[in-house]
Structure formats: C-alpha cells, structure tokens
Amino acid sequence: MRSGPAGPPVVEQVDRGTFLVTGTDVNWVLLREGDALTLVDGGYPADVPAVEHSVATLGLHPRDVVAILVTHAHVDHLGAVNPFHDRYGTPVHLHPVEVAHARREHLEQLAPARVVAALWRPAVLPWAVRVARAGAGRDVAAPHARPFPTGQALDLPGAPVPVPTGGHTSGHTAFHLPASGAVITGDGLVTGHALSPVTGPQLLPAWFDHGTDAEMQAALSVLAGLDADLLLPGHGPVHRGPVREAVDRASGGRPGDGDRTRRGRRR
C-alpha cells in the first residue's frame, strides 16, 4: 500500500469498467459505464486529491461521478464524501442502518485509547502516524447521506447489488457486481493491512470491529454464497479466486491480532 497521503494513487483495472484504487492504507473502487462513474468509498480526508486524480486517470472529471456508495462510515472510507458533495453535488448513499452512523447520530469508531494502548507493538506506531497525517483523527460527518434501496441492483454505473454484511459496523455493506463476477467487500473481508504480517483473505484485527464474532461469521457466510471470483477489498490487493475459498481462509483466524477481546459498540 502507498505509504502516505502524498503522491498519486495506484489505479488498477481489474475488469472491464472496474478499477481498484489504492490510497493511504485504504482502497476505493471506480465503476465505469461510458462517461459515468460510481465511486465506492472515498479514502481518508487527505486522500481527496488522490480520489480526484484517480478519476482523471480515466479521462473523466469528478463531476462524472454520479453517486458515491459507502461500505461503512469509518473515516478512512468517508474522506471524499463531503468534498464531492459540496463541490460537485454528488449524492452519497449507504445502507439504511449505516446512514445514522454517517450522520454521526451514533459512533462505531476505533477509540484513540485503543491505539495508544497498542503502541508497544512494532507495526502500530508507524501506521498510526501515517493515518493520523491522512486525517484519521478528524470528525467526519455526512449529514446529507441517504439510504439506498436494498435487495436489488442499483441504477448506477456497474449495477452494484448491495449485500448487507453487518459486523464490522452495524450497517456494513458489500457490493456484488454480477456482470464481472466481483464483490467489493469493504472491511468485512480484506486481503492485507499494515498491522497484519500476511497477505491474503483475512479479517481485520478484532479491535477494528464493532459487532460480535457471530455477526462477523454470519457476514462471511453471506459473502461465501455469492457467485464471485474477484475480491476487491477495502484494504489489501485484489484477490482472484472463488470468494467461498477466500472466506474459508479468512475464517481460520485473524493474522497478527494478539488481542481478540471483542469491544462493546461505542455509540
């Protein structure tokens, strides 16, 4: 992953009209149909120029983003939401349950005290400094966020189908792309992280999650049932192979997670 908010993002075309973009320790996805785009997630606040740059690499303008879909309302996925809405009038949509989180009517965020308590771990300090510079400590709220209809393909470029996968947050959502056999998994299933010693399908360390282990496993079961062999995660590289096999690998444990104690939800 790119080591900081400075510099251009890495834009990888993974299928016709589908692009996985790597920013500051986090990904977003661009879905293209002609001269129109759907943006899925928006990086950290300092990644906004990188999000705009990723659109420009496709020969388009941020005004061509017809909507932003957000997998969940953590700050590393909300960065471009307000600037795009304010500058270009871009509508922003989340699962109905997650809308209240995006509006900050309640919080399901990693508490800073948890990070401070883990600074003794070798990988934590450089990661914490890097994401702090990217805006991890900012209070980003999206009062204009609106719910999308569930259970059907959205009338947007890429025709993404919302797949509720609550656990990481209450309204966390993946997006299935049946035409390309892909699934955008957000943070419900990733393939790498700065705090993980391995690369490949895995769960984030438990301290990032706000649900129970049972909820996380239920979300994985939903993903396993999708007809997809291209996994586009919120963190880590693209993974090619049946999503069911990726889920099986991730269900084996949490690499690098020395603290599996589940927190209660912070609201």
Side-chain angles (χ1 to χ4, degrees):
M1 287 190 176
R2 195 159 54 86
S3 61
V10 178
V11 181
E12 179 183 2
Q13 183 170 4
V14 295
D15 194 63
R16 181 178 180 182
T18 304
F19 303 82
L20 182 70
V21 188
T22 301
T24 306
D25 286 66
V26 70
N27 301 330
W28 55 91
V29 176
L30 291 167
L31 305 176
R32 179 174 186 170
E33 285 187 6
D35 292 335
L37 292 170
T38 301
L39 171 63
V40 184
D41 287 339
Y44 280 100
D47 279 322
V48 175
V51 176
E52 293 180 324
H53 181 84
S54 68
V55 171
T57 63
L58 305 185
L60 298 175
H61 189 277
R63 285 189 298 268
D64 298 318
V65 176
V66 299
I68 300 176
L69 302 178
V70 182
T71 58
H72 64 293
H74 282 165
V75 65
D76 56 330
H77 299 261
L78 284 181
V81 163
N82 288 336
F84 269 60
H85 181 266
D86 295 343
R87 297 171 189 172
Y88 315 114
T90 316
V92 176
H93 300 286
L94 303 91
H95 187 280
V97 172
E98 196 72 5
V99 168
H101 188 199
R103 294 175 181 173
R104 295 307 186 243
E105 295 169 9
H106 70 263
L107 280 177
E108 294 181 353
Q109 303 285 321
L110 176 63
R114 294 281 300 183
V115 178
V116 172
L119 288 178
W120 61 272
R121 298 181 185 177
V124 173
L125 181 58
W127 166 80
V129 170
R130 191 163 61 245
V131 300
R133 289 173 175 168
R138 298 188 196 176
D139 183 16
V140 177
H144 50 83
R146 297 291 182 266
F148 50 63
T150 58
Q152 62 190 63
L154 302 179
D155 186 18
L156 294 171
V161 180
V163 180
T165 48
H168 181 66
T169 64
S170 297
H172 186 282
T173 302
F175 295 96
H176 187 205
L177 310 174
S180 59
V183 58
I184 302 168
T185 55
D187 285 6
L189 178 61
V190 302
T191 61
H193 192 274
L195 303 185
S196 173
V198 300
T199 301
Q202 59 190 276
L203 296 177
L204 287 173
W207 63 337
F208 288 107
D209 297 332
H210 297 269
T212 65
D213 285 323
E215 288 170 329
M216 292 299 297
Q217 291 301 318
L220 288 177
S221 295
V222 171
L223 292 174
L226 298 177
D227 183 14
D229 56 11
L230 183 61
L231 193 158
L232 309 179
H235 302 270
V238 62
H239 176 79
R240 298 181 185 274
V243 68
R244 177 174 294 277
E245 293 181 4
V247 167
D248 287 343
R249 289 178 60 180
S251 297
R254 297 177 184 265
D257 184 15
D259 180 3
R260 302 190 184 198
T261 302
R262 185 68 58 178
R263 302 174 314 285
R265 288 177 178 161
R266 180 173 172 239
R267 296 183 183 270

